[in-house]
Amino acid sequence: MALTKYERRIRIKNRIRKIVSGTEARPRLTVFRSNKEIYAQVVDDVTGVTISAASSRDKEISSAKATKIEVAKLVGKSLAEKALKAGIETIAFDRGGYLYHGRVKSLAEGAREAGLKF
C-alpha cells in the first residue's frame, strides 16, 4: 500500500535528522509548515534547548498583510535577528521533510538576508 503524504514526509524527515544535528556552536534551524502558518526554531540538540523561535503567529508578523511566501520571509528575518542577539551566527538548516521550495525556501532566504550563515 502506498504511503500517505504525512508518512512520506516523516520518512524524509528521519533521513535528514540522521545527518543534520544541532550543537552549541552550530545549532539546527528547524521548520514546520502547516497549511496556514509557518514556524521555525533554532535548537541545540546536545542539551535539548530551543534557543530562539519565530512563527507567523507572532504579533508583528501576523499583523502584516502579505502572501504566505512573504510572511515566511518575515519569519526567517525575525528568527535570524533573535538568533544573532543570542550570539549565533552559523546554523545547520533542517527543512523538516519539506521540499526546499516555496515557503521553506523563502524562510531560509529571509534568515540569510538577516545575517545567518548556512
Side-chain angles (χ1 to χ4, degrees), residues 25 61-62 74-75 78 84:
I61 296 171
S62 64
L74 292 175
V75 170
S78 172
L84 289 171

Side-chain angles (χ1 to χ4, degrees), residues 19-79:
I19 300 165
V20 178
S21 179
T23 62
E24 189 176 340
R26 187 175 177 180
R28 175 173 58 98
L29 189 159
T30 184
V31 177
F32 176 75
R33 176 178 63 92
S34 72
N35 285 337
K36 290 184 179 181
E37 312 289 346
I38 190 159
Y39 307 86
Q41 55 186 351
V42 177
V43 180
D44 176 4
D45 290 317
V46 175
T47 58
V49 175
T50 298
I51 299 164
S52 62
S55 77
S56 56
R57 300 186 74 184
D58 294 346
K59 286 184 182 177
E60 64 275 358
I61 296 171
S62 64
S63 63
K65 299 294 179 195
T67 64
K68 289 192 270 189
I69 289 178
E70 292 165 349
V71 168
K73 194 167 208 167
L74 292 175
V75 170
K77 287 181 181 180
S78 172
L79 182 71

